Amino acid sequence: MTSPPVLGDREIGLARLAAHGLVRPADAAPEDVVRALGAVQAQDLPGALVSVGLRRGAGAAGVREAFAEGRIVRTWPMRGTLHLVPAEELRAWLAVLGPRTVSATAARRRELGVDERLDAARETALAALRHGPQPRERLHAAWEEAGLLGAPGRAYHLMLALHLDATLCMGPLAAGARDQLVVPVADWVPETWEAPGRAPAPGAPPVVVRWVRRYLRSHGPASVADAARWAALPRATVRAAVAVLDDVVAVHDARGQELWCAPEVLGAAVRADRRAAGVHLLPPFDEYVLGYGDRSHMLAGRHAARIVPGANGVFKPTVVAGGRVVGTWGRSRRASSPGLVLEPFEELSATRRGAAERAFARLPVL
């Protein structure tokens, strides 16, 4: 039996760029990009929209319409973190992963008295939404008027609970695309979805197999631990899913760790063409950075704190060159000189600075 190929960190970074669709963006609808990735980190909504646009040949064109037409929604499907998901898979995501978040937040729910207020909060929210999609603040105000709040954090946890049980989700983009309006799932998302199903022990449900396939093909080379952390699933469940996949292959990193990826991205890692090895500007919370528990293959440990200053969970936009995260970036706040502000970890060559400026000019704009 032939041993799996061994990839260095640079090759892994370049292969991941190709897998993510960042080297040659696809001619695909926005919801197809989200579906291919499995889900898209969306704590920062404008950044998430840029993440989708960077992976499409059409950029941000049609993204607003995909939300307005109910093809993409935003919710808390896993890890208590906001993500974009294909609308038709919303219920399946929540059926499998929602209970894990409910369990993880149970102590805080008890402390805030969420469960005993949940039915009233649902009734109040749905009554407010009879007038059409509403901003979250409108629902918070309705709950306040109904006497359901009164404790810091209760509004957030009521909103989270009603998203987790598929009562609510976030749909159309609000003005400026900095937030979304809340909608009732029953009205917004047709009930055409695949039930998660049961798998014979020790296998994984078919829905989980599909998500693991998407993750490994769109994020690989990645480990079972990376996939389990991404989906908030037990490693044994992910390992069982990997065992039945026939369109991913194993590779090893320089430390001997087993990783999995789509076979076609290996060529990108070996060729390392100019586009793959060039400079990419990624928004905050992009899947290329947040989609892994182990980021050491494309980010030096000594620089890890630079992308999350103060370990506050807020990820900065990143500069990727040669498959490695080499700095962060931002926009100048001076009206007299708007433009790109680079914060490299080490000195960037004039060639890479020029490439970063060109990447900045190409960033999708809604």
Side-chain angles (χ1 to χ4, degrees), residues 157-209:
H157 277 274
L158 286 172
M159 188 68 72
L160 173 62
L162 291 173
H163 277 67
L164 290 174
D165 70 7
T167 296
L168 307 176
C169 67
M170 297 180 211
L173 298 178
R178 301 204 67 82
D179 204 352
Q180 286 172 280
L181 303 180
V182 179
V183 293
V185 170
D187 297 340
W188 195 252
V189 181
E191 290 203 47
T192 54
W193 65 292
E194 179 184 344
R198 293 181 174 272
V207 164
V208 171
V209 172

Side-chain angles (χ1 to χ4, degrees), residues 347-356 358:
E347 186 59 35
L348 284 181
S349 68
T351 299
R352 282 188 167 176
R353 284 184 173 273
R358 292 190 293 275

Side-chain angles (χ1 to χ4, degrees), residues 100-345:
R100 297 179 66 82
T101 302
V102 171
S103 177
T105 58
R108 184 61 173 151
R109 286 167 67 118
R110 286 194 298 271
E111 181 181 338
L112 291 171
V114 167
D115 290 345
E116 52 264 40
R117 292 170 173 81
L118 196 55
D119 288 342
R122 180 182 296 106
E123 182 178 343
T124 302
L126 293 177
L129 292 171
R130 290 194 192 109
H131 306 291
Q134 301 292 330
R136 279 181 279 183
E137 292 76 13
R138 173 68 187 89
L139 299 190
H140 293 174
W143 290 336
E144 183 70 49
E145 293 168 9
L148 297 172
L149 299 186
R154 190 175 285 158
Y156 167 80
H157 277 274
L158 286 172
M159 188 68 72
L160 173 62
L162 291 173
H163 277 67
L164 290 174
D165 70 7
T167 296
L168 307 176
C169 67
M170 297 180 211
L173 298 178
R178 301 204 67 82
D179 204 352
Q180 286 172 280
L181 303 180
V182 179
V183 293
V185 170
D187 297 340
W188 195 252
V189 181
E191 290 203 47
T192 54
W193 65 292
E194 179 184 344
R198 293 181 174 272
V207 164
V208 171
V209 172
R210 184 172 68 228
W211 291 334
V212 171
R213 170 185 285 112
R214 290 178 185 172
Y215 174 82
L216 293 176
R217 289 185 58 81
S218 65
H219 291 67
S223 67
V224 165
D226 285 326
R229 173 256 173 203
W230 176 82
L233 288 168
R235 291 190 189 185
T237 301
V238 173
R239 197 171 290 112
V242 174
V244 301
L245 297 181
D246 58 6
D247 54 355
V248 297
V249 295
V251 299
H252 284 165
D253 66 11
R255 299 185 296 277
Q257 180 183 204
E258 185 177 62
L259 308 174
W260 297 86
C261 65
E264 55 266 30
V265 305
L266 296 181
V270 173
R271 289 194 307 272
D273 62 27
R274 290 179 61 187
R275 193 179 303 186
V279 176
H280 302 263
L281 298 186
L282 303 181
F285 300 96
D286 190 84
E287 284 286 324
Y288 185 76
V289 176
L290 262 73
Y292 309 88
D294 176 6
R295 303 185 183 104
S296 63
H297 296 103
M298 68 272 199
L299 175 64
R302 66 184 182 278
H303 299 316
R306 299 278 296 275
I307 67 171
V308 196
N312 60 2
V314 179
F315 283 71
K316 299 186 72 172
T318 51
V319 182
V320 176
R324 302 280 292 173
V325 178
V326 299
T328 62
W329 66 275
R331 298 175 188 271
S332 171
R333 296 185 179 183
R334 292 185 297 178
S336 59
S337 58
L340 173 65
V341 177
L342 292 171
E343 296 182 8
F345 300 150

Side-chain angles (χ1 to χ4, degrees), residues 59-73:
V63 172
R64 182 180 290 278
E65 290 78 4
F67 286 98
E69 295 169 6
R71 291 180 274 135
I72 303 173
V73 295

